[in-house]
Amino acid sequence: MKEFLIVDGYNIIGAWPELKQLRDRSLEEARDRLITILAEYQSFSGVKVYLVFDAYQVPGLGKTYVQSRLSVLYTKEKETADELIERLVTELTGRRRQIYVATSDMTEQHVIFGKGALRLPASELFVKIKQSRTEVRKRIREESESGRNTFDSKLNEEVREIFEKWRRGK
């Protein structure tokens, strides 16, 4: 089953202590940090992540771009993040697809639940990401403890012999 995670960016920034402190100094830095965190999570988990930012009062058509394979979407003028999230849920809904929406906005949670997506409060997403980071560190530690991670260690004996012959000019 393909999994999708749609994240209400400003809602998460306001809910996570690290990002909230960063936001108080620089909203742009808080956005960039959230993008980095979610890009890492997407890479490790295999879940396709869409990060939505509200640009309700900003004139224009909205924009979508990809940063570190993470889809970042800004709403168009007079469109709220909630409206864009609801539209995304509708577009992504299909067979063998599970959609999660990360927001602590209770009204939005009820709406997206009615459309078939599962709600993921900001605190639960924070826990999932912490668990993901712990798992990554554990895997790295296990690989480094199991010996050197060399190219040679990944080759089977037959290929190793061929390379050795080439090295010796035979």
Side-chain angles (χ1 to χ4, degrees):
M1 179 172 287
K2 182 94 172 126
E3 292 185 327
F4 298 91
L5 172 63
I6 303 169
V7 178
D8 184 343
Y10 291 131
N11 187 278
I12 298 299
I13 287 172
W16 291 0
E18 171 195 354
L19 296 177
K20 190 187 290 188
Q21 286 179 347
L22 200 53
R23 175 198 66 191
D24 294 341
R25 285 183 301 178
S26 168
L27 183 58
E28 186 175 344
E29 285 182 38
R31 277 194 307 254
D32 289 344
R33 180 70 183 128
L34 181 57
I35 289 169
T36 300
I37 290 168
L38 292 175
E40 290 172 358
Y41 177 73
Q42 176 178 260
S43 295
F44 181 73
S45 68
V47 173
K48 175 63 181 152
V49 179
Y50 294 89
L51 177 57
V52 177
F53 287 112
D54 194 333
Y56 184 81
Q57 295 180 0
V58 179
L61 300 173
K63 66 178 183 175
T64 300
Y65 67 94
V66 176
Q67 182 173 333
S68 302
R69 295 189 180 160
L70 177 76
S71 297
V72 181
L73 299 91
Y74 285 89
T75 63
K76 56 188 171 193
E77 185 178 5
K78 297 192 186 257
E79 178 183 42
T80 66
D82 293 349
E83 291 169 336
L84 179 54
I85 289 169
E86 291 165 21
R87 192 171 72 238
L88 268 174
V89 168
T90 302
E91 290 172 7
L92 293 172
T93 300
R95 293 186 57 186
R96 302 191 46 76
R97 291 179 167 201
Q98 186 60 64
I99 304 166
Y100 299 90
V101 176
T103 183
S104 290
D105 180 337
M106 287 302 290
T107 305
E108 182 61 11
Q109 287 181 2
H110 291 300
V111 171
I112 58 94
F113 189 68
K115 291 182 172 278
L118 297 177
R119 51 189 179 235
L120 186 67
S123 58
E124 285 185 37
L125 179 60
F126 185 72
V127 169
K128 278 180 164 278
I129 287 175
K130 281 178 67 174
Q131 288 172 338
S132 172
R133 286 179 170 172
T134 302
E135 183 64 28
V136 167
R137 280 190 223 107
K138 179 182 170 191
R139 284 189 185 179
I140 291 171
R141 189 172 39 255
E142 286 172 354
E143 286 182 13
S144 66
E145 289 172 356
S146 68
R148 292 183 49 206
N149 185 11
T150 63
F151 178 72
D152 183 58
S153 69
K154 304 295 183 199
L155 300 175
N156 66 37
E157 191 61 37
E158 183 181 326
V159 173
R160 194 176 290 121
E161 287 174 13
I162 292 169
F163 282 162
E164 184 62 23
K165 286 178 183 177
W166 286 353
R167 188 179 75 82
R168 294 182 183 267
K170 295 182 181 180

